[in-house]
């Protein structure tokens, strides 16, 4: 049974005539009349008794209208509810991001202030989550994206900084080249503690003899501020301490590689208005919440 024909039948009954229904639904009168006749032929019953004064429901038409009108009304209510939710951007947004990505915390707060009816769930992990399997709408990722089933919207590029406390640097002369770092205790970030990390400093690759390996930049920052290690930090975790004199940039002429920050979502899933609003908001607000820290 053609549901569109059912909707047309209900509209004819509610309008009181074929011509009034055609005006209301913007469906041409010949088309409306033909679809009702096709519905009657499919059901093998007469639904409407036609006369010059209008239409009248037959017994079979009354039974069909009684049931069909409730279904059409419920569908219209559901459609309006969905459209209203979309217009007001109401719903749940499921996000993934690395731990301790502090600028994004403030950005999320600003996002929810602009869209107070969007509920946000954040899954904080270093693990590269499977967005579809884990039910994630958008993931914040650092690095090159090569996954063909994902769409990546590039947000910004930045470089990590090699830092140490002035107290630690005062114990030795400031390093002038990467080879000078062998005099210092170093700490590296690694997802796997068994990995021997390498710092790419300008054109030179230096493999530090690490006294500490961690997958938590907050821990590395804490130990650097305490004067125990030289380490690398994202700029938004280092700049405030550098400005306050708690940390000092080490070998600033030897730039570390660029890091690319992307927001990722599944390519086969049409992005909802919530996802598009989040992507656009992040790109718009980065100047306020991230670039200053980079």
């Amino acid at each position: 049974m053609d549901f569109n024909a059912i909707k047309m039948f209900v509209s004819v009954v509610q309008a009181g005539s074929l011509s009034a229904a055609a005006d209301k639904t913007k469906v041409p009168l010949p088309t409306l009349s033909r679809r009702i006749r096709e519905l009657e032929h499919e059901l093998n019953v007469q639904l409407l008794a036609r006369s010059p004064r209008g239409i009248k429901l037959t017994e079979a038409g009354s039974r069909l209208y009684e049931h069909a009108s409730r279904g059409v009304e419920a569908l219209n209510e559901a459609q309006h509810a969905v459209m209203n939710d979309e217009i007001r951007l109401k719903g749940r947004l499921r996000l993934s991001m690395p731990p301790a990505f502090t600028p994004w915390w403030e950005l999320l707060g600003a996002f929810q202030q602009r869209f107070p009816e969007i509920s946000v769930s954040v899954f904080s992990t270093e693990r590269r989550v499977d967005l579809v399997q884990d039910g994630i709408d958008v993931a914040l990722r650092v690095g090159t994206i090569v996954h063909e089933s994902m769409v990546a919207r590039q947000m910004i590029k930045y470089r990590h900084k090699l830092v140490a406390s002035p107290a630690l640097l005062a114990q030795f002369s400031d390093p002038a080249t990467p080879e000078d770092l062998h005099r210092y205790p170093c700490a590296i970030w690694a997802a796997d503690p068994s990995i021997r990390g390498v710092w790419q400093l300008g054109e030179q690759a230096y493999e530090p003899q690490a006294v500490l390996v961690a997958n938590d930049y907050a821990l590395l920052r804490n130990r650097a501020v305490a004067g125990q290690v030289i380490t690398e930090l994202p700029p938004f975790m280092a700049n405030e301490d550098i400005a306050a004199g708690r940390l000092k940039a080490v070998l600033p002429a030897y730039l570390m590689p660029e890091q690319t920050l992307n927001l990722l979502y599944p390519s086969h899933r049409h992005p909802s208005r919530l996802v598009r609003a989040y992507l656009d908001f992040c790109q718009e607000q980065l100047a306020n919440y991230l670039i200053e820290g980079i």
Side-chain angles (χ1 to χ4, degrees), residues 63-85:
R63 288 198 300 271
L64 178 61
Y65 177 74
E66 180 183 355
H67 294 286
S69 60
R70 292 198 296 266
V72 170
E73 184 178 352
L75 182 63
N76 287 337
E77 289 177 357
Q79 183 178 359
H80 289 313
V82 170
M83 291 175 65
N84 287 338
D85 282 351

Side-chain angles (χ1 to χ4, degrees), residues 12-276:
V12 168
V13 176
Q14 291 176 341
S17 71
L18 286 163
S19 57
D23 289 340
K24 185 176 180 179
T25 61
K26 308 303 180 185
V27 175
L29 180 58
T31 301
L32 195 62
S33 181
R34 175 176 55 80
R35 296 297 295 274
I36 298 299
R37 287 197 302 272
E38 289 173 351
L39 181 61
E40 290 177 321
H41 180 74
E42 181 181 357
L43 297 175
N44 198 29
V45 295
Q46 185 178 359
L47 300 173
L48 300 174
R50 299 163 179 83
S51 73
R53 289 177 293 179
I55 55 100
K56 183 179 179 180
L57 284 170
T58 64
E59 184 178 348
S62 294
R63 288 198 300 271
L64 178 61
Y65 177 74
E66 180 183 355
H67 294 286
S69 60
R70 292 198 296 266
V72 170
E73 184 178 352
L75 182 63
N76 287 337
E77 289 177 357
Q79 183 178 359
H80 289 313
V82 170
M83 291 175 65
N84 287 338
D85 282 351
E86 285 289 280
I87 291 170
R88 291 183 297 161
L89 290 178
K90 179 180 179 181
R92 179 173 295 276
L93 194 61
R94 296 168 293 271
L95 308 175
S96 171
M97 66 182 64
F101 216 91
T102 50
W104 225 262
W105 301 348
E106 294 187 22
L107 189 146
L108 280 180
F111 175 75
Q112 289 194 280
Q113 284 185 330
R114 179 177 293 186
F115 304 106
E117 294 190 76
I118 296 180
S119 174
V120 176
S121 297
V122 177
F123 181 41
S124 184
T125 179
E126 290 291 353
R127 178 173 66 86
R128 296 215 160 204
V129 298
D130 184 315
L131 273 67
V132 176
Q133 183 176 339
D134 293 325
I136 301 297
D137 295 312
V138 187
L140 180 67
R141 292 274 178 85
V142 178
T144 304
I145 305 299
V146 295
H147 206 305
E148 294 181 356
S149 66
M150 296 295 154
V151 176
R153 184 184 289 196
Q154 182 176 306
M155 294 287 110
I156 199 169
K157 292 185 176 182
Y158 62 91
R159 298 178 190 271
H160 283 203
K161 295 182 177 182
L162 205 61
V163 296
S165 73
L168 181 65
L169 295 174
Q171 296 180 30
F172 312 90
S173 58
D174 279 13
T177 66
E179 289 77 13
D180 295 335
L181 293 173
H182 74 274
R183 302 196 305 266
Y184 289 85
C186 296
I188 64 170
W189 185 96
D192 183 346
S194 65
I195 292 177
R196 297 175 65 87
V198 175
W199 287 336
Q200 187 65 41
L201 301 169
E203 299 297 321
Q204 299 186 43
Y206 176 75
E207 184 177 311
Q209 301 300 309
V211 299
L212 174 64
V213 179
N215 68 342
D216 187 342
Y217 282 114
L219 172 58
L220 299 180
R221 172 183 171 274
N222 177 273
R223 294 301 82 206
V225 171
Q228 293 187 350
V229 294
I230 285 180
T231 193
E232 64 162 310
L233 291 176
F236 57 82
M237 296 189 72
N239 286 352
E240 183 177 341
D241 289 316
I242 291 173
R246 292 184 292 268
L247 290 177
K248 182 178 177 181
V250 176
L251 299 174
Y254 292 82
L255 297 178
M256 302 194 85
E258 277 192 335
Q259 303 278 350
T260 304
L261 189 67
N262 299 285
L263 288 176
L264 208 64
Y265 61 91
S267 60
H268 65 270
R269 184 187 300 167
H270 182 70
S272 69
R273 290 194 67 222
L274 269 66
V275 167
R276 293 198 302 272

